[in-house]
Amino acid sequence: MTKATAMQALLAPKRLMDQHGRPHYGHFDGVVESLALDEFRYFTEMDKPAGTVAQYFNYKQFQFFTLNTQRYIISGAIADIRYLASGFLYVFDIKRNKLVERTWLRPPKIGYHTEPSPFNGHAHIGCASNGLRIHIQQGLWHINIQTPMVSAKLTLTPAQLSLPMSLCTPTAYSGWTYTQKHNGLAVSGKLTVEHEPQPLNQALGSYDFSAGYMRRETSWRWASFNAHTATGVVGANFAAGVNETGANENVFWVDGKRFLVGAMHFEFSRLSPIRPWKIHSACGQVALRFKVVSVRKEQLNLGLLKSNFRQFIGYFDGVLIDEHQQQHVISHQLGLCEDHYAKW
């Protein structure tokens, strides 16, 4: 194994754009308050200023969260790709091995709302009696869910002094992607599933805010989990296929302390994805196996817009090694893996 070394991060700028309208790139300590979209100088492949239509429609934004309780995994998302917006909420019953989902699809600017700030912003889709709302206040995520199956008012809180993974990288020839993720978060508030209140004393959560001028055609593999282990609360986020120009989004936390790691490899069968996965890092700090137990999937083919989305629920086993060479054993811990192709 290559000896682990700490990756350097910069203090997060308040605004993502510099004085020349170019993004600040790299890992950040802290949260960028505003993406400052109106300040971004966007150019075509031929070095001409992009028009206002391209500047608007080429921007994409996604917000996602996961909750792990003793009985359920609950995940939700709001995606704004300008041409339309979509959302989903699913509940996986661990005891029954049963997944129930609710989806939303909305035309441009109707029945949804997003704001380009990972520090202070509001996003919603659906209606007050059957919808999903995410309110970010001073970087803290507040989640409101109202569906026939789930009622929740929750807050995701990091450990004291814990830093998220905040990153901006160049994307394609003219774009950029900002992504911010945080795992191993405490969950507080109220959660009711099928009219039954759920205890939250051992619950853990995570979130993902990703936005920018992404590739027109893209794909990625992704893994994420939150777990109580013998060495503490461990959260992890690993990916391959996106956010890899100059830096990457691979990271894990132990009791809130962040450890950035190197490039990841995902070994799995696209045609038989329920077979066991292997996920490991080039530096040797991550060596995991993933066994699928359920899946949430959606295929959309509208010609110019395509999506082949599969998010798998399953069990992780293996080991994570931090920069101090301490091993953190992951044993039969529930989490998520994803294989996604998109053309937007």
Side-chain angles (χ1 to χ4, degrees):
M1 187 200 81
T2 304
K3 184 177 179 180
T5 57
M7 296 185 184
Q8 298 300 310
L10 306 171
L11 183 65
K14 287 189 175 183
R15 302 179 72 79
L16 188 62
M17 300 301 145
D18 66 15
Q19 66 269 31
H20 304 293
R22 299 174 301 199
H24 294 277
Y25 291 124
H27 280 284
F28 305 129
D29 283 342
V31 179
V32 173
E33 294 187 13
S34 172
L35 301 186
L37 298 183
D38 58 329
E39 300 172 14
F40 173 48
R41 296 186 65 195
Y42 190 30
F43 292 92
T44 70
E45 292 81 357
M46 297 294 108
D47 300 327
K48 303 296 183 183
T52 55
V53 173
Q55 185 121 7
Y56 177 82
F57 280 101
N58 290 353
Y59 174 79
K60 320 295 179 190
Q61 181 171 312
F62 310 91
Q63 291 172 250
F64 173 84
F65 65 85
T66 295
L67 312 170
N68 294 65
T69 74
Q70 294 172 308
R71 177 69 183 269
Y72 299 101
I73 288 182
I74 300 173
S75 296
I78 299 173
D80 179 0
I81 65 169
R82 299 306 209 197
Y83 307 104
L84 53 82
S86 63
F88 68 78
L89 179 82
Y90 70 73
V91 178
F92 176 68
D93 189 322
I94 301 168
K95 183 178 179 181
R96 298 177 184 173
N97 193 32
K98 180 182 178 182
L99 187 147
V100 178
E101 69 173 300
R102 171 74 172 91
T103 61
W104 297 268
L105 191 64
R106 296 291 185 266
K109 294 189 174 182
I110 298 176
Y112 72 95
H113 176 78
T114 61
E115 295 176 359
S117 173
F119 189 71
N120 281 308
H122 177 76
H124 72 258
I125 194 165
C127 60
S129 61
N130 193 358
L132 175 61
R133 296 176 180 271
I134 300 170
H135 183 207
I136 306 172
Q137 189 172 26
Q138 301 290 298
L140 205 62
W141 279 48
H142 304 276
I143 298 165
N144 190 321
I145 305 167
Q146 290 295 329
T147 71
M149 186 177 185
V150 180
S151 177
K153 289 186 177 181
L154 303 169
T155 299
L156 306 184
T157 305
Q160 189 173 11
L161 302 180
S162 181
L163 291 168
M165 189 290 302
S166 305
L167 169 72
C168 187
T169 57
T171 303
Y173 197 50
S174 302
W176 51 269
T177 302
Y178 176 85
T179 187
Q180 181 182 307
K181 302 183 180 185
H182 211 163
N183 288 54
L185 307 177
V187 181
S188 60
K190 294 182 179 181
L191 171 64
T192 300
V193 180
E194 294 186 314
H195 308 291
E196 181 179 336
Q198 301 300 311
L200 298 175
N201 56 311
Q202 293 294 307
L204 295 172
S206 55
Y207 71 72
D208 173 358
F209 180 103
S210 295
Y213 289 81
M214 303 175 182
R215 289 180 177 87
R216 175 78 174 89
E217 185 173 13
T218 188
S219 68
W220 60 78
R221 276 70 58 204
W222 172 75
S224 174
F225 63 83
N226 306 290
H228 294 278
T229 76
T231 52
V233 172
V234 176
N237 175 88
F238 306 125
V242 292
N243 303 323
E244 294 179 331
T245 304
N248 66 65
E249 62 174 75
N250 300 316
V251 59
F252 65 90
W253 294 263
V254 180
D255 288 335
K257 182 172 176 56
R258 184 187 67 185
F259 298 98
L260 302 174
V261 298
M264 301 298 298
H265 301 283
F266 286 70
E267 298 179 19
F268 72 106
S269 171
R270 236 181 72 192
L271 300 182
S272 301
I274 62 171
R275 295 169 60 181
W277 296 39
K278 291 183 180 180
I279 303 160
H280 56 95
S281 64
C283 63
Q285 289 179 255
V286 179
L288 296 170
R289 300 176 303 279
F290 179 73
K291 183 179 180 181
V292 176
V293 295
S294 188
V295 60
R296 191 259 166 184
K297 57 185 178 181
E298 182 179 61
Q299 287 188 328
L300 182 68
N301 188 348
L302 300 178
L304 293 176
L305 301 177
K306 295 182 181 181
S307 176
N308 186 1
F309 173 87
R310 294 176 292 183
Q311 190 170 97
F312 303 92
I313 301 168
Y315 288 95
F316 287 93
D317 289 276
V319 65
L320 308 178
I321 303 174
D322 65 31
E323 62 195 45
H324 309 297
Q325 304 302 307
Q326 182 176 357
Q327 294 192 8
H328 305 277
V329 176
I330 307 302
S331 179
H332 204 60
Q333 299 289 355
L334 270 172
L336 307 175
C337 275
E338 185 175 292
D339 176 38
H340 190 190
Y341 163 84
K343 183 178 181 180
W344 42 45

